[in-house]
Structure formats: structure tokens, C-alpha cells
Amino acid sequence: MAVHFHLNTPLLDSVSMSKRVGTTVYLKMENSQPSGSFKIRGIGHLCQQLAKQSKGVVCASGGNAGMAAAYVARKMAVSATIVVPSSSPQTVIQKLKDQGAKVKIIGKVWDDANAEALRLAETDGLTFVPPFDHPLLWQGHASMISEVAASLGLTAKPGAVVVSVGGGGLLCGVIQGLKDVGWTDVPIVAMETEGADCFNAAVKAGRIVTLDDITSEAKCLGAKSVCRQAFEYSKCDELTIISELVTDQQALHAVETFLDEERVLVEMACGAALAAVYSGLIHRLQDDGRLPLDLGPLLVIVCGGSSIDMDQLTTLKNKLRN
């Protein structure tokens, strides 16, 4: 029997968020995972399958995927090399080292770091851990929806699921999970910030596009291109995926409001999903007829984030409010 590195995370109903939306809001608290985010589900599952006899793992990540890979590698007693872009906060680099990982800083954005991780996998014979684009990751992430179904009961399915999108790994995992429990008719609201919007850009263009740069402060959403599977799902008639954008300011406001009301600090990437509630977007989608007016329970994936602390929050406030 496989060992799970992830926890069965709490499913909380938020009174204050429910009041705002006019229907019960359930929060799947992936921020309480040992590595700080949902990433440990997929990365733990992938490493179980691929890295048991490995010389070590290598992963390119500005934060959460690297934290998950470092944590899992430590638990499996294999070495971890995490390649991070120079935009990664110092606190993240320190946390990775605390997990026992070797950290290399390469390039300005994730794509640069990823090229180096692929090179190291080739030259040093390490197991490459992709942060979002692999079927084993999606299979692992799907477990969060199975847990929700077990908590709510299969008959009490959500009216919609709200999820942040970076490279698309969480979105693919959520869709896999909805398929596993027979909830494919549940609409998904896929949230990104302006300037880290590779999925929305692909949906609008009708093809995968590569962003020129990541200009959003939600660095953990910062993939220049979305994974192919996420794009293919966006064209699938059996699924309803509503791709929406919020500003960095709206994502930050969501982070602060969530901290005030729920007493939990999450990063900007997670704030994108929370902003669907706090910015009134869910109501607008209902007014536009894209979500039903008599919306069933709203499931919000609180994807978490290991790259936020009070100093980082203050820095973001100063940067985005000037």
C-alpha cells in the first residue's frame, strides 16, 4: 500500500463568505498541507511512482512545487535539487534549504529555471519532477475532490468549484477528481491575475499562447504557457470552465480579507480564487447567466502558498498601493 505524504485537509464552511455569496461556501484548506500547498498531493504521488530507486529528484519552482518536492524527497530519503528563478523570495529559498534541498538560482522566470532542471535531470541522472504538467500529478491532485465528496456525500455536490490557475496542474487535477466522483456537470470558475494569465490568453486565442513576461505579483501563477491538457479541457463540451481575471489589487485585497475573516494567511496566487467571492465576481457571473441564480454550495480550493509571510505581505501592499 502506498504511503501518502499529503493530509486529508479540512473542509470548512465560511459564514462570512457564504453571507457575501448568498449560498454556502466550502473552503478546501490545502494551505494546511505539510508543504503549505496542494502541490504535495500530485508530487507525492508522482515521486512514489517514479523516484523510489532514484539518485535524487530535481524540480524547477518559484515556491510551492519545490517545497513539496523537497518535503517528499526528505521523507523518501532521496536528495532534492530545486532550481528557482531569481524572483523567488529569500524566505522560500531558506525554507527549501531547511527541508534539506540543494537550491540553484537560475534565470529571471520559472521557464529559465525549468530549462536548467531538465538539463540536470539529463546530465546527473535525476528524476525530473514537473510542477504541473504530468498525468500522475493530476491523479494525485484529484484526491482533494474525492475527499470533498466523502465529506459532503455524493448527493450534495457543489454548485460550482473555484480554483486558481497557474500552469494548469490544479485545474487538471480538479477536473480529474470531478470525473472520478461523477460531478462533471459542476461548472469550474478558473481564476488568474492579469499579467499571469496564460490560460485565459489561450482560451481567448483558441490556441496555447506564450506570454511575453509575467508582470503580476502572483508569481506562483507565473507560467508563460498553460499545459496542453488544461487547454484541451477548455474546449471540451462536457465541461463548463469559466475563465476569469482579477487585478493584483483584487487578489491582494482577497488575501487581506481572508486573513481578517478566516485568520489564515495565503499567497497572492490563492488570492486570485478567493477574489471570485470578495470582488463580487460570482454575483456578476450569476447576473450574466453564466452561473445559476439558485447556485448550490460553492467549493473554493484554498490552494495555499509557502512564499508568504507578514514581511512579504507588507512589501506587496507597498508595491500595489503606491
Side-chain angles (χ1 to χ4, degrees):
M1 194 175 118
V3 179
H4 289 313
F5 297 109
H6 67 264
L7 303 176
N8 183 333
T9 51
L11 183 70
L12 308 178
D13 63 329
S14 166
V15 173
S16 56
M17 289 177 99
S18 300
K19 204 166 137 189
R20 286 170 193 267
V21 182
T23 188
T24 306
V25 175
Y26 288 111
L27 303 170
K28 186 60 171 155
M29 301 296 283
E30 289 297 293
N31 58 295
S32 59
Q33 291 291 2
S35 66
S37 85
F38 75 95
K39 293 272 190 187
I40 194 167
R41 290 181 184 270
I43 285 174
H45 183 59
L46 180 135
C47 289
Q48 285 279 17
Q49 305 295 316
L50 302 183
K52 278 182 177 158
Q53 309 304 317
S54 174
K55 282 187 185 173
V57 300
V58 61
C59 178
S61 166
N64 296 315
M67 280 301 295
Y71 177 88
V72 169
R74 181 168 65 80
K75 290 290 181 184
M76 290 178 72
V78 297
S79 72
T81 302
I82 312 299
V83 189
V84 302
S86 58
S87 57
S88 304
Q90 198 53 48
T91 50
V92 172
I93 292 167
Q94 191 53 53
K95 278 185 187 175
L96 289 167
K97 289 178 177 173
D98 291 346
Q99 286 286 354
K102 182 180 166 195
V103 180
K104 287 190 79 171
I105 302 169
I106 301 283
K108 183 183 165 224
V109 292
W110 173 81
D111 302 72
D112 304 331
N114 197 47
E116 174 65 7
L118 286 165
R119 189 189 71 75
L120 287 171
E122 193 68 32
T123 57
D124 297 10
L126 302 175
T127 300
F128 176 69
V129 177
F132 54 80
D133 194 1
H134 198 288
L136 288 173
L137 297 177
W138 312 329
Q139 242 175 47
H141 299 334
S143 58
M144 77 179 72
I145 301 297
S146 306
E147 288 172 14
V148 171
S151 295
L152 294 181
L154 280 169
T155 51
K157 67 182 175 188
V161 182
V162 182
V163 62
S164 292
V165 180
L170 177 56
L171 177 62
C172 290
V174 165
I175 292 168
Q176 179 70 57
L178 292 173
K179 285 181 173 183
D180 292 347
V181 301
W183 286 351
T184 47
D185 57 338
V186 174
I188 299 163
V189 183
M191 299 297 299
E192 295 169 284
T193 51
E194 293 170 4
D197 50 355
C198 62
F199 180 63
N200 186 265
V203 169
K204 282 179 178 160
R207 59 182 172 80
I208 294 177
V209 296
T210 303
L211 302 177
D212 292 337
D213 196 10
I214 304 300
T215 55
S216 168
E217 289 301 323
K219 298 300 180 196
C220 287
L221 296 181
K224 285 188 179 178
S225 303
V226 77
C227 70
R228 176 154 295 281
Q229 184 61 70
F231 175 66
E232 293 302 331
Y233 279 144
S234 76
K235 300 188 296 180
C236 176
D237 291 339
E238 286 81 62
L239 299 167
T240 302
I241 303 174
I242 302 166
S243 171
E244 290 289 336
L245 301 181
V246 288
T247 63
D248 273 1
Q249 284 80 3
Q250 286 171 315
L252 176 62
H253 175 255
V255 168
E256 292 180 280
T257 311
F258 197 67
L259 179 58
D260 282 345
E261 293 187 354
E262 309 295 335
R263 302 166 309 285
V264 175
L265 178 61
V266 293
E267 65 188 29
M268 288 270 287
C270 185
L274 300 173
V277 171
Y278 292 130
S279 73
L281 176 73
I282 297 297
H283 281 312
R284 285 202 297 282
L285 292 174
Q286 289 175 296
D287 292 343
D288 294 346
R290 299 176 73 197
L291 285 177
L293 288 171
D294 58 340
L295 188 64
L298 191 67
L299 172 63
V300 180
I301 307 297
V302 183
C303 52
S306 51
S307 66
I308 188 83
D309 56 21
M310 291 309 288
D311 283 350
Q312 180 72 3
L313 185 60
T314 304
T315 302
L316 286 166
K317 283 201 264 199
N318 292 336
K319 203 179 265 192
L320 293 173
R321 299 246 163 94
N322 286 341

